[in-house]
């Protein structure tokens, strides 16, 4: 019993035992040549892969930059609070000195 297979269900899975492909006459010879080179595609895919590998590093760098900016802003705020505190203390000391001077002049 000679059963011929189809493309979806080949008679055998061994490529050497399958019937050879016969080129059709309706298709011009050499029409299956590749017009598109895959070198550029592979290069861009490689670059994309490299860029994707560098994304966590770039994100970490941006995160550290944000943290440094926040730390600088917090340090500046702490210095401003300390400067205001010292200014109030200096004003209190100045008022005390004025009062002491006024008391000394009055008596």
């Amino acid at each position: 019993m000679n059963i011929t297979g189809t493309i979806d269900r080949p008679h055998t899975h061994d490529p050497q035992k399958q019937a050879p492909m016969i080129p059709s006459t309706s298709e011009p010879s050499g029409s299956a040549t590749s017009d598109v080179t895959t070198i550029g595609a592979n290069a861009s895919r490689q670059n994309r892969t490299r860029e994707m590998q560098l994304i966590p590093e770039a994100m970490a760098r941006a995160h550290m930059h944000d943290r440094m900016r926040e730390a600088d802003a917090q340090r500046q705020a702490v210095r401003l609070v300390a400067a205001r505190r010292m200014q109030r203390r200096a004003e209190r000391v100045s008022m005390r000195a004025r009062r002491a001077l006024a008391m000394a002049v009055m008596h």
Side-chain angles (χ1 to χ4, degrees), residues 92-102:
R92 281 195 304 264
V93 168
S94 173
M95 290 299 287
R96 225 178 277 145
R98 276 190 190 166
R99 265 193 232 115
L101 184 61

Side-chain angles (χ1 to χ4, degrees), residues 1-52:
M1 188 168 161
N2 191 4
I3 301 174
T4 58
T6 63
I7 291 175
D8 293 331
R9 294 180 179 271
H11 178 62
T12 177
H13 292 287
D14 187 7
Q16 291 180 343
K17 292 181 182 176
Q18 290 177 357
M21 285 182 53
I22 301 167
S24 85
T25 57
S26 63
E27 192 176 301
S29 65
S31 65
T33 58
S34 62
D35 293 335
V36 179
T37 58
T38 58
I39 296 169
N42 288 338
S44 69
R45 192 174 298 124
Q46 180 64 30
N47 286 340
R48 197 176 317 129
T49 303
R50 192 175 303 127
E51 287 171 6
M52 299 216 21

Side-chain angles (χ1 to χ4, degrees), residues 47-83:
N47 286 340
R48 197 176 317 129
T49 303
R50 192 175 303 127
E51 287 171 6
M52 299 216 21
Q53 287 173 350
L54 294 177
I55 285 174
E57 185 179 336
M59 287 177 65
R61 194 177 297 118
H63 186 69
M64 286 302 296
H65 181 71
D66 289 345
R67 291 284 179 228
M68 290 295 285
R69 196 170 56 231
E70 286 175 11
D72 287 342
Q74 190 170 2
R75 264 186 250 123
Q76 190 175 6
V78 166
R79 273 186 258 138
L80 181 64
V81 168

